[in-house]
Amino acid sequence: MSFAASLAQSIAGLNVAQQEAVNYMHGPCLVLAGAGSGKTRVITHKIGRLIQAGMQPDQVAAITFTNKAAAEMRERAKSLIGKSAKGVLICTFHALGVRLLRQDGRVLGLKPQFSILDSDDVTSILKDAGGSTDAATARQWQWAISLWKNQGLNAAQAEAQARAPEEVSLARIMARYEERLTAYQSVDFDDLISLPLKLLRDHPEVRERWQAALRHVLVDEYQDTNATQYELLKLLVGERGRFTAVGDDDQSIYGWRGATLDNLKRLPEEYPTLKVVKLEQNYRSTSAILRAANNVIGPNPKLYPKTLFSELGEGEPVRVIDCDNEEHEAERTVARIQSLRAGSGDTPHREWRDFAVLYRANHLAKPFEKALRKAQIPYKVSGGQSFFDRAEVKDLCAWLRLMVNNNDDPAFMRAITSPKRGIGHTTLGSLGTFASQYKLSLFESLLSHSLGSVVPAKTLGSLQEFGRCVNDLEYRARHTVGAEASLAFLLEWLKDIGYEQHLYDAEDSEQVAAARWTNVMDFCEWMAQRSGGQIDDTAGVTTAAETKTLLEVVQTIALLSTISERQQDQNVITLSTLHAAKGLEWPHVMLAGCVEGMLPFKMDDEHGAGSENMLLRLQEERRLMYVGITRAQRTLAVTWVRRRKKGRDYIAGVPSRFITEMALDKTTVKEDPREKLKALRAEFAKRAADQALANSGD
Ligand code: ATP
Ligand code: MG
């Protein structure tokens, strides 16, 4: 069947309301609906429909909340419309920002080779800018400055509106921070939204070009956009307002990071012709699960009233499982997974990928990881520590960043000390003073004739040697294209700088060093593949058809959180935070840690228990629970513990109020003891099989 025919068939498979949203192409459209009602599906089909209606693929942009969601959407679009999906810009707001800045940032004085700083870089720059050695203080500043930036304020504006003296002094630190970023030709994450906004707002010629280039913009998870993202969207789509936003006010869970539901309220006011489509059928969950979800979200005030029904049947009752402590919780969860997987006679064998364990905070993953390892069940942790946060990967990224952008001082500091090349802190201190005195970047200082007056001749030699090395690498990287050549280049580079030896010297344990070296190899292979243009998932910044030089690949790294973002098809159990589970679904979901203080998260507040602030936070926690429940397709269990760790102490666990709010049928909630028996049987059967296998090998 041709793609046109199969697309038509797919669209015909949507319900009437979904089709209405897909076929409405000439003006602003908002799809407002509860979880699992097919909002994301509307977006993928509408991409196809727009192209079928005559738009060029590169005139359509779809914005997702994570890179992973972008990768998934690209896959779906490809299966709907084939190769032309490659031309569609499918990415996050941040990746879109990179594209805008790379193309037009010059207008703002930003070179196309600008660096994107990660959160650690920002912390250390702020320490320096604010004259503090305390990382915790610097992170508080970071947080406050980020909120200002998300409200669209720069340092001067923040100072003008400051009320308390602390705010004034913070605004001044922000000013020094901004100066440093300009000097380093670097941007932070918030800049990836606020600078493109400034670009489009203040430069009509750039704005008009982008508006002409993009004829329709689609936005998923619209409820979690913040004020600057909304403004950026408005400028991108212009007055004609050709966009499709889909969202659910009940799933807004990023208020703590500046997202605001005002964006939902403002749409109908600012676009009077807005077409609002509501979807009511949930295609994801059984009625039992959906009822629990609706009951939980019930007490929250309604922005837009919604009803949601499912035709998937009543299904298994939602289970509540009480546990002694966190280890016990992990054991019981694993037992449940094994029992569900073994299934009963008439239910088919299930895959590991059908299961997810979701929790409020990253550190809760530990006991589950242990229990799963013990049971030899494969799993992945998503939303946890990122591959790119590992020291060795950061070292290499620093080198690569410095090659791309010589002015990137944070990258310079890291690269010159990994591996250490006989250049100590005193030298770096003198170099820093010299650089700021002459308003040069650290790298530029290396080339200055007068540097010899502040560092001894021998050290000067090592410094200049480092500079030559970076220049030489940069030259070679610029001319390296394609996967094979890139890999060869990377391996040679690592050999040149003696990185493997450096890892073994730095680690006491050979095993740890070897593991770190494996990460380095993984990283190199992954980088090489990307520059070969073989991979679709390029943080959404370029399309698969393009091959890129290594240097171009480097710029997109900062946007990624995990190297395995594309490996969704692995047959493993998912462990994930609730926040990272947004938009996803699994047949079987276990919500862990449903105790007061964890979900809802601890609610102490200087304004007292009944304060407005507390109430709003509780509502956001409730939405988080709603998001968790609605990830489940067929079965859902919530677990809580009687005794939980808090720091070093144990405290009594009280079941989450949300469990009561789910209003489950009392007679059915307790876990069926037969499940445990089934799990035991499955375990015995497995052991017997293993034993038989072992014996047969004798
Ligand atoms: P969330 O609010 O969690 O992001 P959503 O509204 O985006 O959910 P989707 O993920 O698009 O919902 O759809 C949920 C599930 O229902 C998916 O498995 C999807 O394939 C399926 N689905 C959506 N619409 C239909 C339909 N018309 N017919 C059959 N299945 C559908
Ligand atoms: Mg969705």
Side-chain angles (χ1 to χ4, degrees):
M1 196 169 18
S2 71
F3 276 115
S6 78
L7 176 68
Q9 200 177 48
S10 268
I11 292 178
L14 298 175
N15 65 37
V16 175
Q18 285 177 315
Q19 287 190 28
E20 205 183 342
V22 167
N23 288 321
Y24 186 79
M25 290 177 282
H26 301 294
C29 176
L30 170 67
V31 178
L32 190 70
S37 57
K39 297 183 295 298
T40 303
R41 197 164 162 128
V42 162
I43 293 210
T44 40
H45 282 73
K46 193 155 182 176
I47 294 174
R49 180 76 185 91
L50 289 163
I51 292 170
Q52 186 200 41
M55 282 187 202
Q56 293 303 312
D58 62 1
Q59 294 177 321
V60 178
I63 300 173
T64 58
F65 200 71
T66 60
N67 289 310
K68 189 173 166 205
E72 226 168 78
M73 190 171 284
R74 221 169 286 137
E75 284 301 318
R76 300 238 170 105
K78 207 157 79 187
S79 68
L80 278 177
I81 52 172
K83 279 207 186 94
S84 49
K86 279 186 184 170
V88 182
L89 180 61
I90 302 179
C91 64
T92 62
F93 265 114
H94 289 92
L96 177 70
V98 175
R99 182 173 265 229
L100 273 148
L101 290 181
R102 193 181 298 137
Q103 203 164 313
D104 291 307
R106 264 184 215 284
V107 181
L108 301 175
L110 200 61
K111 293 187 191 144
Q113 312 90 299
F114 66 87
S115 301
I116 303 168
L117 299 176
D118 68 24
S119 174
D120 287 348
D121 294 325
V122 172
T123 314
S124 46
I125 296 172
L126 275 172
K127 276 204 239 169
D128 179 43
S132 163
T133 51
D134 179 31
T137 313
R139 273 196 290 272
Q140 273 172 8
W141 294 338
Q142 191 171 347
W143 192 251
I145 290 174
S146 168
L147 280 181
W148 273 338
K149 285 192 168 190
N150 281 323
Q151 290 162 12
L153 302 175
N154 61 25
Q157 290 161 325
E159 183 166 348
Q161 60 122 53
R163 274 180 244 130
E166 309 84 69
E167 281 179 15
V168 175
S169 70
L170 181 59
R172 292 191 182 148
I173 295 174
M174 180 173 170
R176 290 197 287 278
Y177 170 71
E178 283 177 350
E179 275 167 22
R180 281 168 175 73
L181 258 52
T182 310
Y184 304 159
Q185 282 289 304
S186 297
V187 301
D188 63 21
F189 264 60
D190 301 313
D191 290 333
L192 291 178
I193 311 298
S194 60
L195 291 180
L197 173 60
K198 194 167 158 202
L199 183 69
L200 296 187
R201 194 178 49 207
D202 303 345
H203 301 275
E205 70 296 348
V206 180
R207 180 171 68 235
E208 278 154 24
R209 192 151 33 76
W210 277 91
Q211 287 181 356
L214 292 179
R215 288 179 57 197
H216 203 102
V217 181
L218 305 113
V219 188
D220 200 1
E221 306 280 1
Y222 178 72
Q223 75 281 354
D224 279 319
T225 51
N226 64 31
T228 40
Q229 287 166 339
Y230 176 69
E231 293 302 329
L232 181 61
L233 177 68
K234 265 176 70 173
L235 291 176
L236 271 179
V237 301
E239 279 177 14
R240 280 185 311 180
R242 285 191 182 163
F243 66 84
T244 303
V246 314
D248 177 7
D249 47 315
D250 288 333
Q251 292 186 71
S252 149
I253 54 176
Y254 281 91
W256 56 282
R257 230 167 55 179
T260 166
L261 279 175
D262 285 344
N263 294 346
L264 263 179
K265 292 187 214 152
R266 282 164 66 182
L267 271 192
E269 291 158 20
E270 297 184 7
Y271 295 93
T273 59
L274 182 76
K275 179 172 183 68
V276 181
V277 177
K278 294 190 177 179
L279 309 176
E280 305 204 314
Q281 178 160 2
N282 170 299
Y283 291 93
R284 179 180 292 148
S285 315
T286 62
S287 297
I289 293 169
L290 198 58
R291 197 164 55 240
N294 286 338
N295 288 342
V296 162
I297 204 65
N300 267 15
K302 294 278 160 290
L303 195 57
Y304 298 97
K306 287 190 291 259
T307 44
L308 211 51
F309 69 93
S310 159
E311 285 181 350
L312 297 175
E314 175 63 18
E316 287 279 307
V318 175
R319 304 282 186 200
V320 177
I321 304 178
D322 53 335
C323 314
D324 299 335
N325 53 39
E326 278 141 6
E327 283 70 36
H328 187 220
E329 182 179 38
E331 278 164 27
R332 291 201 72 177
T333 301
V334 170
R336 181 177 162 84
I337 292 172
Q338 285 171 325
S339 127
L340 282 168
R341 185 159 176 275
S344 55
D346 53 344
T347 45
H349 172 82
R350 289 173 190 86
E351 304 288 343
W352 293 125
R353 67 165 74 83
D354 291 346
F355 297 87
V357 181
L358 309 180
Y359 38 78
R360 178 72 174 77
N362 272 318
H363 68 88
L364 296 176
K366 285 261 161 56
F368 292 97
E369 286 194 66
K370 276 192 200 149
L372 287 166
R373 251 185 256 143
K374 197 167 144 208
Q376 297 186 339
I377 297 176
Y379 67 89
K380 65 173 179 199
V381 185
S382 73
Q385 195 217 16
S386 151
F387 184 82
F388 297 95
D389 286 340
R390 292 173 204 269
E392 57 277 17
V393 176
K394 282 189 126 175
D395 286 349
L396 305 188
C397 286
W399 272 89
L400 294 164
R401 262 166 56 185
L402 186 62
M403 285 181 219
V404 179
N405 172 12
N406 290 166
N407 290 331
D408 188 336
D409 282 0
F412 179 99
M413 291 298 275
R414 184 149 194 148
I416 201 166
T417 50
S418 27
K420 291 231 169 17
R421 37 186 68 234
I423 298 166
H425 279 291
T426 332
T427 308
L428 290 176
S430 321
L431 185 67
T433 318
F434 180 87
S436 60
Q437 194 178 351
Y438 292 97
K439 299 215 176 330
L440 298 171
S441 70
L442 294 169
F443 193 87
E444 286 167 332
S445 309
L446 298 186
L447 312 173
S448 163
H449 293 302
S450 33
L451 184 63
S453 60
V454 293
V455 295
K458 185 166 163 276
T459 325
L460 186 65
S462 318
L463 285 172
Q464 287 172 340
E465 170 58 29
F466 173 74
R468 270 195 297 276
C469 175
V470 172
N471 272 341
D472 176 47
L473 285 167
E474 191 227 310
Y475 177 81
R476 278 154 55 199
R478 199 176 286 289
H479 295 89
T480 304
V481 189
E484 223 167 286
S486 294
L487 188 61
F489 166 81
L490 291 166
L491 296 179
E492 203 180 308
W493 157 51
L494 290 172
K495 212 163 132 205
D496 282 355
I497 65 171
Y499 196 75
E500 185 175 11
Q501 191 56 47
H502 160 71
L503 286 182
Y504 280 88
D505 291 345
E507 286 297 340
D508 292 337
S509 143
E510 248 180 51
Q511 225 180 343
V512 176
R516 293 180 63 190
W517 181 244
T518 309
N519 289 337
V520 169
M521 288 294 111
D522 284 351
F523 175 75
C524 291
E525 268 168 31
W526 175 87
M527 285 283 297
Q529 275 180 343
R530 286 188 159 225
S531 80
Q534 297 173 343
I535 286 196
D536 265 342
D537 169 25
T538 49
V541 179
T542 48
T543 55
E546 307 168 39
T547 41
K548 285 163 285 162
T549 67
L550 261 183
L551 294 190
E552 287 170 313
V553 178
V554 173
Q555 271 195 312
T556 63
I557 292 178
L559 294 182
L560 297 167
S561 56
T562 142
I563 204 163
S564 57
E565 261 160 6
R566 264 180 57 81
Q567 301 169 358
Q568 313 135 21
D569 288 338
Q570 290 170 307
N571 192 11
V572 300
I573 288 185
T574 300
L575 298 182
S576 171
T577 61
L578 288 162
H579 282 97
K582 201 169 72 148
L584 307 178
E585 60 190 16
W586 294 270
H588 306 282
V589 170
M590 269 128 302
L591 286 185
C594 294
V595 280
E596 284 292 305
M598 189 48 73
L599 189 64
F601 203 63
K602 64 173 179 300
M603 289 272 160
D604 29 67
D605 183 88
E606 69 262 33
H607 305 296
S611 73
E612 172 79 8
N613 183 27
M614 288 279 288
L615 204 64
L616 292 177
R617 275 171 51 196
L618 179 64
Q619 287 168 3
E620 180 148 322
E621 293 295 306
R622 191 175 277 124
R623 293 193 290 267
L624 195 57
M625 183 75 179
Y626 175 77
V627 168
I629 296 172
T630 53
R631 298 311 95 200
Q633 294 172 307
R634 299 183 48 192
T635 77
L636 172 69
V638 297
T639 57
W640 66 278
V641 292
R642 285 200 193 77
R643 226 161 68 98
R644 67 183 182 101
K645 260 198 208 109
K646 194 180 181 203
R648 290 196 181 156
D649 302 327
Y650 279 94
I651 57 170
V654 178
S656 164
R657 69 191 79 181
F658 299 145
I659 296 183
T660 320
E661 288 178 5
M662 281 160 83
L664 303 172
D665 181 353
K666 290 279 179 307
T667 56
T668 58
V669 294
K670 276 273 179 186
E671 195 196 21
D672 189 343
R674 278 173 303 184
E675 281 186 3
K676 213 168 175 182
L677 205 64
K678 246 193 291 176
L680 275 177
R681 283 215 193 99
E683 179 62 26
F684 282 135
K686 181 175 170 297
R687 278 194 202 159
D690 287 351
Q691 193 62 43
L693 206 65
N695 291 344
S696 70
D698 285 344

